Structures are given as C-alpha cells and as structure tokens.
Amino acid sequence: MINVALMGHGVVGSGVAEILLGHKADIAKKAKEEICLKTILDLRDFEELPYRDLFTKDFASILQDDSIRVVVEVMGGVTFAYEYVKACLLAGKSVVTSNKELVAAKGHELLQIAEEKNVNFLFEASVGGGIPVLRPMAQCLSANRISEVVGILNGTTNFILTKMVTENMPFAQALSLAQKLGYAEKDPTADIEGHDSCRKICILAALAFGRHVYPEQVSTEGISTLSLTDVEYADRFNCVIKLIGRAKQTDGEHITADVYPALINRSFILSGVHDVFNAIVVRGDCVGDVMFYGRGAGKMPTASAVVADVIDCVKHLTARKYLYWEEGAPDYVVSTRSSQTRLYVRATNGHPASAAVAIAKAFGDDSIFTIKNNSSQEIVFITPPGQESALRQKIAGLTCLHDPVILRVID
Amino acid sequence: MINVALMGHGVVGSGVAEILLGHKADIAKKAKEEICLKTILDLRDFEELPYRDLFTKDFASILQDDSIRVVVEVMGGVTFAYEYVKACLLAGKSVVTSNKELVAAKGHELLQIAEEKNVNFLFEASVGGGIPVLRPMAQCLSANRISEVVGILNGTTNFILTKMVTENMPFAQALSLAQKLGYAEKDPTADIEGHDSCRKICILAALAFGRHVYPEQVSTEGISTLSLTDVEYADRFNCVIKLIGRAKQTDGEHITADVYPALINRSFILSGVHDVFNAIVVRGDCVGDVMFYGRGAGKMPTASAVVADVIDCVKHLTARKYLYWEEGAPDYVVSTRSSQTRLYVRATNGHPASAAVAIAKAFGDDSIFTIKNNSSQEIVFITPPGQESALRQKIAGLTCLHDPVILRVID
C-alpha cells in the first residue's frame, strides 16, 4: 500500500479525492498496489464531507510523514506551491501537479531536484487538462525530431471565439455567456489575455525542444481586442480565427514561442476544434502532424490526468526517465518576426480603388490577395508568404492604409 | 550499449534501420544508452546497401546471440512471426513489433510470456502507425473507465471514401487512384474488406477493456459495395460515410466489437478526418472524448513508432507494466444489434408517397426522417434511435421497401 497526500481541495483537488476514494479497487488493479489517500491539506473546513477526517492545515505533517511517498499539488499559484513542492521533492517524495504556472516558472529546477533525489515530478494535467499530450510527446514520438508544436490551449477563449464565429456574438456577450456557464472566471484576464496559453506553450516547448522557456520570453497577445468584423472576413478567406500557442525550432539553437490570435485555414485540422475543446498538433520529422484532442479543462478531466500520474508514480517509485529539460537561456527564444508567414490586413481608406493599386504594387501583381469593400470603405487582404518583419515593413510603408489590423495566417 | 536485431527489411523495416543508423546520437541521448543495430534478418540480398554486412538469413544467429536484448519484428504475417517472436521472448529478449495480425491473433499469449520472462512486448506501431494511442490509452487514461473506442483505422479506405465524398469519384476509380499513389496494395482485399481495421479494433478493445478479442469475434464489413448514391444522400443528412472500427462495453462483462461503414454526423470530430489520416476516439468516464489523430500508415511514421518502442525497451529492460490483457472468451463479444443506434435506409419503390405513409406509421409521426425522391423513385430516411434489431425488424416488415441498403448512423 502506498500513501498519498493531496495539497489543495478546490475544483481539481476535490475531483482527485473523488477518484482516489471512489475508484479505489480499479486503481489498485491498475497500479498493482493499493493507493491510500492519507492526508488532505487545505486551510478551509469541509465538515460536511464523509472524508473530513483526512484534512489538515499543517504542511509539516505531510512533509514529516515518511509513509507518504507521493504528494499531489493542486493548490495553484507559485509562492506556496513552489515552496511545498520543492520541500517534498527534497524529502524524497514524488510530486504530481496540474499547476501550469508552477511548471512554467520553475519546471527545470524542480525536475533537476527530482532527478537528483531519484523521484518523480509529473505534470501531465498542466497542459490540455485530461488530454494525454506530454507523455506521448516525450515517449511515443521519441524517435522524431520535433520541429513545431502548435495548439489551441485554452478552452475559455476557444468557446468565446466559437460563439463569435458561429453565432456572430460580440466578444463581450460571448465572454459573459462563458462566465455564466462556468467556463470563464469572474476575472477572466489570465484566459483572454493569453497568459494561460502562454504557460502551456512554455511547458510544451520545453519538453519538445529540451530547454526551459520562461513565460516572460513568450510574446503574448490575447483576444480581447478582436472584432466581429475580422471574424467575418476570416470566413470569406476560408479561415477561422483561433487563439493559438506556437513554438518552432529555428536553427537548432533557438526557437520561437508565441501566443496570438491567428487565421487558421480550414484545411488545417486545428480549424475544426470548437467550443471548450483543446487540441495540440506536434510536427515530427518522421511522423508528420499528430494531433491530440479533448477537453482541456474541467474538474474530472483534469483530476483523471492527475490520478493517472499518481498511478504511474506508484508503478515506478524511482524517477521516470522521459521527462527532463535543460535550464533556459536569455537569448534562446527569438522573435517570430524573422519567420515566414502570411499576414491578414484590414484597414480603412477613403479611396479603396487607389489603395488597391498601391497594395498590388507592394505585394506583386500575382500576389495572393483579395480586397473587399463595404460601406465603411474597408480594405482587407492577405499577403503572399514572406518574412514577417519584411511584410510588416511593407504594410507600414503603405500610408494609404489607416490603422491597419494585422493578424498572422496559418495554412 | 544495447544490441538490437531487426527481423524483416521491407518498407517499415528499412525505415527502422534508417532511423536507428541515421539518428544514432539523438537516440542515444534519449535512451541514455547507445543503441546498436547488430543484425538484420531477411531472406533477400541487399548488396547495394551501405549496411549490407548486417544481414543474415539465419534466425538462430539472433536467437542464440545473448548480446541482443531487443528484437524488432516487422516481417508481417503470423506463421514465422509468431514462432520467432515467441522464441525471442522465451529466450529473455524484449520484442517490438508493428505486426497487427500477430498481436490480434496472439497478443494475450505473447504478453503472458513477456510478463513471465520479465521482458517487454511492445506494439505501439500496430495501431495508427505513428500516432501515439496504445501507450496514452493505457497510461494517461488509466484513471478512467473506458466505455467506448471508435476510430478511422485504415488510411487506404479513408482515402477512397474522401475521394468519393469530395470529388464524387466512383469506388473503383478511387481505388485505382489509391493504388497508383501507393496507398493501396495490388491486392487491396485486407484494406477494403475491413480486415485491417478488424485487427486494429481487436487490439484497441483488448487494451481498453482488458480481455483478448479475436478477429473471428468481430463482425466485419468493408466498403466495396458502397455506392456514390449513399455518399450523396449522407451529405444531405449532414453526415459523411467513413469505415469505422468500434468497440463498446455493454454490461461490464461483455463488449461489442465491429467494423462497418457508417454515416458520421458532421458535429462529431471523426467526420473531419480525411485522406490517409487515421483518428481514434477514446471515451472515458472522467475525461469524456479524447482523440488521437495522424498518419496511420507509411514507412517513416510507422518506423518512428517502432523505434520509440525500442527506446522505451532500452530505458526499461525489465517488463513495462502498462500493457497487459487477459485471455479471451467465446461469449465475450456480443452482437451490436442489441445496442441503441439510428439507421439510414435507402430503398426503391414505385409509389414513394404511399411508402412514406407506411414509414411514418412504423417509426412514429414525430420520428426524425426525411424522404427524398428522384427519378429512380428512391426513398431515403433515417430512423429515430432504437435497438438495432428492433429497427431492422420494423424495416423488414415494410414490404413496400425493395432491396433496402441499411447503414448505421453515429451522432
């Protein structure tokens, strides 16, 4: 029998407790060992729960209990989570977490301690909720050189964008619907400004390319300024707008890592991922594109991923060897503006016809672009592929375009 | 350093050799151990290859070489593959295979020998080619009770169906195009009659539900009799026709396991999987639907999955604990006709209007059905949900329907 402690009894934590206590026999069969939830750390009282006797407010009682071999951290945040997780690993306990903020900020350091102590630090639930992605990427795709990871990493923003695309619902209304349905927090900043996606692309990039990526290194744009107008034009170009996280190897020594709303061509499988679903595409040199799809958040999906990691810990009480990455470096992440892309541009102009001539001159007569005019004298086009910074320079040079909205296109 | 032997130097085998020899440094880093391809078994001569010295025609030289710890079997077929794989496992060597026919026929027995000998028998590449699915299903979803596995498991038939749907190409023409492009064999029987999908659903079902499923227990229909007419009608019902493999838990003691062409509603993510791509949806009680997507066949995707298993073997030279299932049982797989479904029906009738009255009477006034007539006086409708055998009985009772074509609908 292996004793487990749970730190945090919020949404995910209560789901973990539910599965560990409710599926006990099934889990014992899979782990080939009985797993006993011994202690739950939370500052709140849960007098109504049948398992109220398991609660403690004292972290030291977990740390000092040598019978506890695996600790689950689902408190969130970095301050206490970091201190407690580090202490547990140093004490020779394996740790499982769903805390993307912690892994994105301190992943390398904690993995290194885990390796030194020959215990596990697992965090499958930190990216994609219940979708298996980190372990398959590290294990099953290990014979591939991964060149790119791109995904829809946040269910809240994908729900909002789906409503905007399919029902023409303005952003503010879609956000308040998401809040009503429990998909968005009261303070939705982390989701809609892309911070949540940023942490997840940090973790994916670190695992794919072997070096820590810090959130501060990732250029991050959210969706709060997206207008229905762009959503509608995207549709005319056979694209949908999605908030994506993307990391690409550039020259073997550097990567790009960014979060931004982009036009996704409908021929690309990611364009079909709707509502609160997440999906991650991994591009390998042998396998081509592989996609992992499912519910990226929610109590039970996330909790089930945490418990799967606990089962894996119990099966392998010494360090699993597939998860590791090196320390980050200040110049490791480079700007995506040196990469090739196409750009979507929307601007206003009093004289669309003459602007069209200027655009054609800038991007070549045979360039792929379309101009649509409406009563507001808007000009909309997609550039041919080119280096992003050069394309932007050309667009800036077109003084006929007023206040252009510029979005990247992914084919 | 770990020595590896390769049995079979066909399409996948030559890909395995290419990766093991060409990515040597990368692989050593990932496996934390150098992996040396020592011997290749093949009856043919490959004098032009730079690694021609590795070839042998003598299986005994592999079996008796104690320095060979991992053997890759990519010969295909069951006769020799079974004999050789069994001998290798009994000799204490781990075995990696992509041979779905072997795993579907002998998986339980070989897994049992591997467990007794404390070595690995891994076969990630046998389902979905390079798509990670078996390991994620067994490891990452281990906290879930899986209720259903359904997938597009064969790239050749999916390519043919995509051509039929998007380009209105008749079956025979789409097949010959697939052959021309190298997606279909000269003798395409195993693909188009569903045998290949059948072996894969056997393996998925065994892993998902814990008991061996034999190909003879799976009712298997192919796509060779599908007509363009049905493809077109499917589209009018907002569906696409796909060849699927599907296994479902019924009562905890039994499962259904079937291969058949079905109408897939466009709102279901599987409907968007086109061309040679494969995708597998796994339904868990905690996680909901998770989908794994990618190229399901081809030299390099499949070879990369084989090599990933080799790396896993080298990292864990004693038995990995996640792959196992019990012996099968004669009455374990039950007919899907007791399950709930909707049925698509197309039939001819000289008097569509009176037939419509009979259909409405049989399936209720408010039942979901649509009738389309064309010059050939065809009647097409979709029944409301019901037990399949009862629905079929009702349809058989409608004597006004001549030679009905009946297909299942998946929503």
Side-chain angles (χ1 to χ4, degrees):
Chain A
M1 192 189 67
I2 300 285
N3 284 330
V4 172
L6 175 62
M7 305 198 294
H9 192 266
V11 174
V12 176
S14 60
V16 171
E18 220 170 277
I19 299 176
L20 284 178
L21 297 167
H23 288 41
K24 202 159 182 168
D26 264 22
I27 288 173
K29 207 173 145 190
K30 281 176 180 164
K32 303 199 173 179
E33 184 91 59
E34 198 186 324
I35 296 182
C36 172
L37 177 56
K38 190 175 178 189
T39 315
I40 304 175
L41 179 72
D42 203 293
L43 295 178
R44 294 163 294 182
D45 290 309
F46 295 91
E47 287 306 327
E48 75 291 356
L49 288 176
Y51 54 90
R52 59 184 166 270
D53 294 344
L54 302 182
F55 282 85
T56 179
K57 294 182 169 65
D58 177 25
F59 170 64
S61 71
I62 292 174
L63 187 66
Q64 288 156 12
D65 185 339
D66 287 339
S67 83
I68 293 174
R69 302 287 302 271
V70 181
V71 178
V72 174
E73 184 278 305
V74 284
M75 308 185 297
V78 171
T79 324
F80 289 104
Y82 171 57
E83 187 190 316
Y84 291 0
V85 167
K86 190 171 168 177
C88 287
L89 290 171
L90 285 168
K93 300 177 195 301
S94 286
V95 174
V96 172
T97 184
S98 63
N99 187 335
K100 44 200 156 281
E101 203 178 342
L102 175 68
V103 180
K106 305 286 182 184
H108 165 69
E109 184 191 344
L110 297 171
L111 281 168
Q112 200 171 35
I113 297 172
E115 173 140 307
E116 281 163 20
K117 293 289 171 182
N118 202 24
V119 293
N120 293 297
F121 178 53
L122 301 180
F123 40 85
E124 181 63 65
S126 67
V127 179
I131 310 170
V133 57
L134 301 183
R135 190 180 275 103
M137 203 164 91
Q139 290 192 316
C140 307
L141 302 179
S142 60
N144 283 265
R145 288 183 191 132
I146 295 173
S147 60
E148 180 173 353
V149 183
V150 54
I152 294 170
L153 305 174
N154 180 273
T156 309
T157 46
N158 205 41
F159 175 83
I160 292 170
L161 289 170
T162 302
K163 288 287 158 194
M164 290 175 75
V165 172
T166 59
E167 297 174 27
N168 248 14
M169 199 183 276
F171 171 79
Q173 195 183 332
L175 170 60
S176 84
L177 178 62
Q179 287 171 319
K180 216 168 103 185
L181 294 171
Y183 296 152
E185 313 264 345
K186 267 187 190 166
D187 175 0
T189 314
D191 289 324
I192 64 172
E193 296 304 344
H195 306 318
D196 177 74
S197 296
C198 167
R199 291 163 193 151
K200 290 169 180 168
I201 198 67
C202 286
I203 299 170
L204 288 167
L207 196 60
F209 306 123
R211 189 172 282 286
H212 198 105
V213 176
Y214 291 94
E216 310 82 77
Q217 297 179 295
V218 177
S219 129
T220 302
E221 282 170 58
I223 62 163
S224 58
T225 59
L226 268 187
S227 78
L228 269 184
T229 317
D230 295 311
V231 165
E232 282 165 25
Y233 281 124
D235 186 52
R236 293 203 222 166
F237 288 112
N238 198 33
C239 292
V240 287
I241 295 184
K242 297 283 180 190
L243 181 67
I244 61 149
R246 191 182 201 189
K248 286 178 80 165
Q249 193 124 40
T250 55
D251 54 5
E253 300 293 318
H254 299 89
I255 66 161
T256 62
D258 304 86
V259 172
Y260 51 83
L263 275 73
I264 314 272
N265 196 300
R266 282 192 206 276
S267 66
F268 187 34
I269 183 86
L270 269 188
S271 68
V273 176
H274 302 307
D275 295 317
V276 294
F277 282 86
N278 284 198
I280 297 109
V281 172
V282 181
R283 190 162 289 171
D285 62 344
C286 297
V287 76
D289 283 1
V290 165
M291 185 175 83
F292 304 94
Y293 165 97
R295 285 174 190 279
K299 174 179 172 170
M300 294 316 279
T302 308
S304 73
V306 169
V307 173
D309 272 353
V310 171
I311 293 173
D312 198 23
C313 278
V314 168
K315 277 183 170 174
H316 305 89
L317 282 169
T318 53
R320 301 283 281 111
K321 301 184 184 93
Y322 68 87
L323 266 184
Y324 192 72
W325 58 69
E326 306 287 328
E327 174 57 305
D331 59 348
Y332 173 56
V333 181
V334 298
S335 165
T336 192
R337 299 217 171 172
S338 310
S339 304
Q340 294 285 308
T341 190
R342 294 200 295 153
L343 293 176
Y344 158 95
V345 184
R346 174 173 62 87
T348 52
N349 181 288
H351 305 283
S354 61
V357 174
I359 294 165
K361 204 174 156 195
F363 292 106
D365 275 343
D366 57 349
S367 63
I368 308 151
F369 72 90
T370 307
I371 297 185
K372 316 250 176 201
N373 307 317
N374 60 15
S375 55
S376 66
Q377 304 287 299
E378 272 179 339
I379 297 173
V380 185
F381 64 100
I382 289 182
T383 71
Q387 195 195 42
E388 183 175 329
S389 55
L391 294 175
R392 284 185 186 265
Q393 217 167 355
K394 272 193 186 177
I395 294 163
L398 291 170
T399 51
C400 58
L401 302 178
H402 306 150
D403 306 321
V405 170
I406 302 177
L407 295 168
R408 297 180 187 95
V409 179
I410 297 180
D411 291 293
Chain B
M1 193 189 69
I2 299 286
N3 284 330
V4 172
L6 175 61
M7 305 196 295
H9 192 266
V11 174
V12 175
S14 60
V16 171
E18 219 171 278
I19 299 175
L20 284 178
L21 298 168
H23 288 40
K24 202 159 183 168
D26 265 22
I27 288 173
K29 207 172 146 190
K30 281 176 180 163
K32 303 200 174 180
E33 184 91 59
E34 200 186 321
I35 297 181
C36 172
L37 177 55
K38 192 176 177 189
T39 314
I40 304 175
L41 178 72
D42 203 294
L43 294 179
R44 293 163 293 180
D45 290 308
F46 295 90
E47 287 305 328
E48 75 291 356
L49 289 175
Y51 53 89
R52 57 184 167 271
D53 294 345
L54 302 182
F55 282 86
T56 178
K57 294 183 170 65
D58 176 24
F59 170 64
S61 71
I62 292 173
L63 188 66
Q64 288 156 12
D65 185 340
D66 287 340
S67 83
I68 293 173
R69 303 288 300 272
V70 180
V71 177
V72 174
E73 184 278 305
V74 285
M75 306 185 299
V78 171
T79 323
F80 289 105
Y82 171 58
E83 187 190 317
Y84 291 179
V85 166
K86 190 170 168 179
C88 287
L89 291 171
L90 285 169
K93 300 177 195 300
S94 286
V95 174
V96 172
T97 184
S98 63
N99 187 336
K100 44 201 156 284
E101 203 178 341
L102 175 67
V103 181
K106 305 287 181 183
H108 165 70
E109 184 192 345
L110 296 171
L111 281 168
Q112 200 170 36
I113 297 172
E115 174 140 306
E116 282 162 18
K117 293 289 171 181
N118 202 24
V119 293
N120 293 298
F121 177 54
L122 302 180
F123 40 85
E124 180 64 63
S126 67
V127 179
I131 310 170
V133 56
L134 300 183
R135 189 179 275 103
M137 204 164 91
Q139 290 193 316
C140 307
L141 303 179
S142 60
N144 283 267
R145 288 181 191 134
I146 296 172
S147 59
E148 179 172 352
V149 183
V150 54
I152 294 170
L153 304 174
N154 180 273
T156 309
T157 45
N158 204 40
F159 175 83
I160 292 171
L161 289 170
T162 303
K163 288 288 157 192
M164 290 175 74
V165 172
T166 59
E167 298 174 27
N168 250 14
M169 198 182 275
F171 171 79
Q173 194 183 332
L175 170 60
S176 85
L177 177 62
Q179 286 170 320
K180 216 168 104 183
L181 293 171
Y183 296 151
E185 314 264 347
K186 267 188 190 166
D187 176 1
T189 315
D191 289 324
I192 64 172
E193 296 304 343
H195 305 318
D196 177 75
S197 296
C198 167
R199 292 163 193 152
K200 291 169 179 167
I201 198 67
C202 286
I203 299 170
L204 289 166
L207 196 60
F209 307 123
R211 189 173 283 286
H212 198 105
V213 177
Y214 291 93
E216 310 82 78
Q217 296 180 296
V218 176
S219 126
T220 302
E221 282 171 58
I223 63 164
S224 58
T225 58
L226 269 187
S227 78
L228 269 183
T229 317
D230 295 312
V231 165
E232 283 165 25
Y233 282 125
D235 186 53
R236 294 204 221 166
F237 288 112
N238 198 33
C239 292
V240 287
I241 295 184
K242 298 281 181 193
L243 181 67
I244 60 150
R246 191 182 199 189
K248 287 177 80 165
Q249 194 124 41
T250 55
D251 55 4
E253 301 292 320
H254 299 89
I255 66 162
T256 62
D258 303 87
V259 172
Y260 51 83
L263 275 74
I264 314 272
N265 196 301
R266 282 191 206 275
S267 66
F268 187 35
I269 183 85
L270 268 188
S271 68
V273 176
H274 303 308
D275 296 316
V276 294
F277 282 86
N278 283 197
I280 297 108
V281 172
V282 181
R283 190 162 287 170
D285 62 344
C286 296
V287 77
D289 282 0
V290 165
M291 185 176 82
F292 304 93
Y293 166 95
R295 282 172 192 282
K299 173 180 173 171
M300 295 316 278
T302 309
S304 74
V306 169
V307 173
D309 272 353
V310 171
I311 293 173
D312 198 24
C313 277
V314 168
K315 278 181 168 174
H316 305 88
L317 282 169
T318 53
R320 303 282 281 111
K321 301 185 184 92
Y322 68 86
L323 267 185
Y324 193 71
W325 58 69
E326 307 287 330
E327 175 57 305
D331 60 349
Y332 173 55
V333 180
V334 298
S335 165
T336 193
R337 299 220 170 171
S338 309
S339 305
Q340 293 285 306
T341 190
R342 296 199 293 153
L343 293 175
Y344 159 95
V345 184
R346 175 173 62 88
T348 52
N349 183 291
H351 305 283
S354 61
V357 174
I359 294 165
K361 204 173 156 196
F363 291 108
D365 274 344
D366 56 350
S367 64
I368 309 152
F369 72 88
T370 309
I371 296 185
K372 314 249 176 203
N373 306 316
N374 61 16
S375 55
S376 65
Q377 303 288 299
E378 272 179 338
I379 298 173
V380 184
F381 64 99
I382 289 182
T383 71
Q387 196 195 40
E388 184 175 328
S389 56
L391 293 175
R392 284 184 187 265
Q393 217 167 356
K394 272 193 186 178
I395 294 163
L398 291 169
T399 50
C400 58
L401 302 178
H402 306 150
D403 306 322
V405 169
I406 302 177
L407 294 168
R408 297 181 186 95
V409 180
I410 298 181
D411 292 293

